[in-house]
Amino acid sequence: MCDTCGCNQPPDAVTYRKPGGHDHPHRHGDLEHAHPHEHPHDHGHPHDHDHQHDHDHPHDHDHGGARRLAVEQDILRRNDLTAERNRGWFEGRGVLALNLVSSPGSGKTSLLERTIRDLRDEIPLAVIEGDQQTLNDAERIAAAGAPVLQINTGFGCHLDADMVRRALAELEVPAGGVLLIENVGNLVCPALFDLGEHAKVVIISVTEGDDKPQKYPAMFAAASLCVINKTDLLPHVDFDVEACKDAARRVNPALAFVELSATRGEGLDGWYRWLRGRRAAAAR
Amino acid sequence: MHEMTLVAGILEIAGERAREAGAARINTVTVEIGRLAGVELSALAFCFETARLGTLAAGAELAVRELPGRGRCPACGAETEIDFYAALCPACGGCLEVVGGRELRVASIDVD
């Protein structure tokens, strides 16, 4: 599987940068060299090789003819295996990892900036930023005071587990802290790609339609928490909070909700309470 | 447009299996896609047409077996077929939990 999708771009089209950092070809060199020990894992297919040996028999018998071979493999197996490795990485360090997903413009970065400013003395935070282009979001996060790595996916529409694995080699994620992964703004594709996170947080702003959960059910079904952002704008827009929640609950009855305004600060307590609770659970 | 990523995964899995078995070429790749997996089948077919070139599956057909969505009612235990996420239990009106329909699997390949 390629790192990205929809574009046939070469793997090195995906870049990993820090604000004020070096040029990315250099970083790619670092990444390659930083993981000589990864290769034994990649080559660790003694199990597969056994199968290959077993299958030599039918091969001999059916030689030359048309035949059907059973496969029964998950298409996303490589992503899912890497996601499990990431999960182990987080578990070993007691890190809570959250995957923040939404459409573009819902206020993900503003929520992160505010969270970092409010919690940085209490909880060690680190951020992975996913965007197709630019270092803009990483610069905002760095200015707010958290270590950050920007992944630019080129034309890719989502982050995948391998991108996060590479980012973890570059980013200092403090043990016992919280890693906030801001996915590419897209309510469709990121739902399918497990990054190894503990939970997906879906963010919807009141300037969007309150029927988003019905229109993009897979994302709301995959999330643990739904943040309804920009509540300060409610008097000016036609957004029914309860209708939105009802629609989301029909897709995912276990979904929790927090209503807040990241820019005005209303309702942030609920978000921080949820974050602290999940962090305590991840540290156990 | 994550369908290209899925197609790359399909071709990788199919190619590995075919090489393991010493096959000369792949004629058909049969995949199972759940109706709730969020896959646009026309986009999948379109991507497959292009991505297969230069692989053992260069002339292969992509056969898609669609698997139905299945929901179970947590209240009354009834199971029913569904084609979208927010379905209600026909027996008691409760919200169904999705228990099937998210599958993304290469089932088999036909080779020479």
Side-chain angles (χ1 to χ4, degrees):
Chain A
M1 196 187 304
C2 62
D3 278 346
T4 55
C5 76
C7 50
N8 276 340
Q9 62 187 3
D12 64 2
V14 179
T15 62
Y16 304 78
R17 294 186 289 168
K18 289 177 181 170
H22 306 297
D23 58 335
H24 57 264
H26 179 73
R27 298 229 158 265
H28 277 293
D30 276 353
L31 289 171
E32 298 300 329
H33 293 299
H35 286 283
H37 61 283
E38 305 291 0
H39 288 286
H41 179 87
D42 288 343
H43 292 298
H45 292 293
H47 181 71
D48 287 345
H49 288 301
D50 287 343
H51 280 293
Q52 192 172 346
H53 180 73
D54 289 344
H55 290 299
D56 284 344
H57 290 288
H59 171 69
D60 289 342
H61 294 301
D62 294 337
H63 193 68
R67 58 219 149 103
R68 171 161 295 179
L69 305 171
V71 181
E72 297 298 343
Q73 285 218 34
D74 282 338
I75 295 168
L76 291 174
R77 60 165 188 180
R78 175 161 293 185
N79 185 76
D80 293 346
L81 281 170
T82 308
E84 286 308 322
R85 290 175 64 188
N86 291 346
R87 225 182 300 284
W89 195 100
F90 299 135
E91 199 178 315
R93 289 162 178 80
V95 167
L96 170 69
L98 300 175
N99 182 359
L100 280 73
V101 291
S102 79
S103 21
S106 68
K108 290 190 296 298
T109 313
S110 298
L111 179 62
L112 292 187
E113 286 177 298
R114 180 75 192 219
T115 304
I116 292 160
R117 294 204 166 99
D118 287 350
L119 298 188
R120 65 185 165 195
D121 294 333
E122 177 195 345
I123 300 174
L125 298 161
V127 175
I128 294 174
E129 279 290 338
D131 284 296
Q132 288 196 328
Q133 310 284 338
T134 86
L135 205 54
N136 296 356
D137 284 359
E139 283 165 354
R140 287 170 60 184
I141 296 299
V148 59
L149 190 87
Q150 176 80 52
I151 303 177
N152 284 135
T153 59
F155 295 109
C157 53
H158 59 269
L159 296 178
D160 67 29
D162 194 56
M163 293 180 199
V164 170
R165 184 184 69 81
R166 286 164 181 246
L168 291 174
E170 291 280 300
L171 181 66
E172 300 85 47
V173 182
V178 176
L179 174 67
L180 299 157
I181 305 168
E182 183 180 335
N183 217 313
V184 178
N186 176 344
L187 268 180
V188 184
C189 311
L192 218 55
F193 294 85
D194 184 6
L195 306 179
E197 74 272 7
H198 290 82
K200 286 186 179 68
V201 176
V202 63
I203 295 146
I204 178 171
S205 59
V206 304
T207 51
E208 302 170 49
D210 52 27
D211 57 352
K212 274 264 167 81
Q214 286 153 283
K215 288 180 172 171
Y216 301 96
M219 190 63 89
F220 287 83
S224 302
L225 177 71
C226 175
V227 172
I228 301 176
N229 191 21
K230 308 189 190 177
T231 53
D232 55 302
L233 298 178
L234 274 173
H236 312 290
V237 294
D238 187 18
F239 183 97
D240 184 335
V241 172
E242 288 312 311
C244 176
K245 286 182 174 177
D246 283 347
R249 275 198 204 97
R250 286 184 60 187
V251 174
N252 180 354
L255 191 62
F257 296 90
V258 177
E259 296 157 49
L260 56 81
S261 164
T263 53
R264 298 287 183 274
E266 301 153 13
L268 284 165
D269 288 356
W271 159 236
Y272 296 152
R273 207 176 307 124
W274 185 88
L275 203 62
R276 290 187 187 105
R278 295 299 297 235
R279 181 182 174 225
R284 261 178 234 132
Chain B
M1 200 50 185
H2 53 285
E3 281 79 6
M4 186 57 99
T5 310
L6 299 181
V7 162
I10 291 168
L11 287 169
E12 181 187 288
I13 290 166
E16 257 174 37
R17 185 72 182 91
R19 276 189 295 276
E20 248 174 45
R25 66 169 173 267
I26 302 171
N27 298 320
T28 307
V29 180
T30 302
V31 295
E32 292 175 331
I33 308 285
R35 287 225 170 87
L36 305 180
V39 175
E40 187 52 46
L41 293 182
S42 59
L44 194 76
F46 177 78
C47 292
F48 187 82
E49 291 279 306
T50 310
R52 65 185 175 161
L53 301 176
T55 74
L56 280 179
E61 177 202 350
L62 180 69
V64 177
R65 205 181 290 149
E66 274 194 274
L67 301 181
R70 281 189 305 111
R72 183 186 299 133
C73 178
C76 76
E79 268 203 36
T80 185
E81 194 172 314
I82 53 177
D83 56 8
F84 57 105
Y85 271 94
L88 297 181
C89 175
C92 75
C95 290
L96 296 174
E97 271 173 46
V98 175
V99 293
R102 291 184 176 125
E103 298 82 358
L104 287 171
R105 208 159 40 218
V106 180
S108 64
I109 54 174
D110 294 351
V111 300
D112 281 333

